Amino acid sequence: MPPTATLSASSSLNYLFPIPPSPSSSFTSTPSPTSCYFHPCTKKFSSLRFKPNKPNMTRSAVSIEKETPETERPITFLRESEGADVRARFEKMIREAQDSVCAAIEAVDKGGKFKEDVWSRPGGGGGISRVLQDGAVWEKAGVNVSVVYGVMPPEAYRAAKAAPADQKPGPVPFFAAGISSFFLRFCTPRTHLRLLCISIIDTSRRMLLKAQKKACDKFDPTFYPRFKKWCDDYFYIKHRGERRGLGGIFFDDLNDYDQEMLLSFATECANSVVPAYIPIIEKRKDTPFTDHHKAWQQLRRGRYVEFNLVYDRGTTFGLKTGGRIESILVSLPLSARWEYDHKPEEGSEEWKLLDACINPKEWI
């Protein structure tokens, strides 16, 4: 019997260009880099936030304008004045990453095809949302690209920055772009390349994490240990006392780094997804499974849902700025499960996984 799941995955790459509030505001903002979550499987290459070169956005009365469906993909979603800067190269890179990931998934699925929705906004920006659903291998896979302009309300700013509740910024014009939320049925990287495994499979886990470490080490040997700990700390379900998955990397607000370096780093992370992830799917996709395995997968999906809807800053940011709801929630699974007071049998594979989620480990 072909499996419906062995691992789980999600990933996103977003980056924000916050525009400082007006001098009359009581809040003083600090420039933020793009955070890069690279889930290959909540979204995100975390975001990489780059400093804006020209804080010339016009404030609007709403957070984000309502999207307009389009029949064709535009060459770019950027405003005309931004065609030559780093934003344009970033958009080009993430759209190429979307194409390569979708092509690889369709090739392995051998039947499922992505549905594509293209949308734009009157004030600039837009996106391409692609979802494959009920395929032969993937139950659901979403790979979305968005370029968004708008005014960030205070609560959205606090969500995006994890700022204290008592910090009172005024509305902050912003620009955000990224590839977000590819939630795959088998393996959950959110680079986060955050692993959310049904069982602890050493070779698969190590392959994904080594790919992340290799990408990090090309730029700074301190990146991997730093971002690995960041990942463990970020993907923490406080009310459960456990992490959402087994590990990965996460980074955000890298203000002290050069934009060109961050773009190169994000590109390296994006290009590492297919060669690291697809061989695992090819190897595991026909592994037999039981109803017991399926029930455990459903319970772990429940943890994913809890984290995304309660704690994930990307999800909160999207909801508070009035973003496109189908894109924001695309990583949520088709089905999940909650059992009262469920406890796996001590010593079982499920128990080992839960222990690793409660007590993070150094896998490589």
Side-chain angles (χ1 to χ4, degrees), residues 72-323:
E72 296 182 358
R73 295 175 225 150
I75 295 174
T76 180
F77 289 105
L78 296 175
R79 292 169 174 169
E80 292 183 6
S81 60
E82 298 167 332
D85 65 10
V86 68
R87 300 180 183 186
R89 286 181 288 135
F90 190 87
E91 183 201 21
K92 181 176 184 294
M93 181 274 287
I94 60 176
R95 290 180 64 168
E96 289 173 350
Q98 183 187 43
D99 289 342
S100 65
V101 170
C102 290
I105 289 173
E106 287 186 347
V108 174
D109 198 85
K110 293 182 172 61
K113 296 293 182 183
F114 280 92
K115 173 189 176 183
E116 179 178 282
D117 291 315
V118 181
W119 47 276
S120 66
R121 291 201 169 92
I128 302 170
S129 299
R130 294 180 187 165
V131 176
L132 182 154
Q133 196 159 289
D134 293 322
V137 175
W138 276 274
E139 183 176 88
K140 185 181 183 184
V143 189
N144 298 342
V145 163
S146 61
V147 175
V148 182
Y149 299 87
V151 175
M152 193 185 305
E155 62 272 21
Y157 179 88
R158 287 191 291 267
K161 300 281 292 180
D166 59 353
Q167 194 173 58
K168 305 296 184 184
V172 181
F174 72 93
F175 164 78
I179 180 170
S180 72
S181 298
F182 63 92
F183 179 83
L184 314 179
R185 181 194 300 187
F186 283 80
C187 164
T188 283
R190 208 192 174 190
T191 315
H192 334 323
L193 206 60
R194 179 95 190 140
L195 295 178
L196 177 58
C197 300
I198 303 308
S199 61
I200 300 178
I201 303 172
D202 286 340
T203 55
S204 299
R205 181 186 65 246
R206 291 178 187 277
M207 183 183 299
L208 288 166
L209 298 180
K210 283 181 178 179
Q212 291 184 331
K213 186 176 186 302
K214 182 179 179 182
C216 289
D217 287 350
K218 285 187 178 182
F219 296 86
D220 190 324
T222 70
F223 274 5
Y224 180 78
R226 178 182 164 197
F227 298 161
K228 192 271 183 189
K229 183 179 185 305
W230 204 337
C231 182
D232 288 335
D233 292 343
Y234 178 79
F235 292 98
Y236 181 64
I237 308 173
K238 297 176 185 177
H239 59 271
R240 296 282 186 184
E242 65 186 62
R243 276 77 190 167
R244 204 195 71 190
L246 293 181
I249 63 173
F250 177 97
F251 53 93
D252 197 358
D253 290 330
L254 301 180
N255 296 302
D256 297 332
Y257 294 91
D258 177 74
Q259 290 188 19
E260 293 294 337
M261 188 281 285
L262 291 175
L263 177 58
S264 296
F265 180 42
T267 302
E268 188 72 27
C269 287
N271 291 340
S272 72
V273 177
V274 169
Y277 179 73
I278 293 300
I280 296 172
I281 301 305
E282 291 277 20
K283 181 179 180 179
R284 303 285 179 184
K285 65 184 177 67
D286 295 319
T287 303
F289 66 97
T290 66
D291 289 342
H292 175 78
H293 294 138
K294 183 66 178 177
W296 176 247
Q297 179 208 35
Q298 296 286 300
L299 288 169
R300 295 312 303 171
R301 286 179 173 183
R303 298 295 200 266
Y304 182 94
V305 172
E306 288 178 26
F307 177 85
N308 263 38
L309 296 184
V310 178
Y311 300 114
D312 184 67
R313 298 209 306 266
T315 301
T316 303
F317 170 80
L319 295 174
K320 289 185 179 297
T321 53

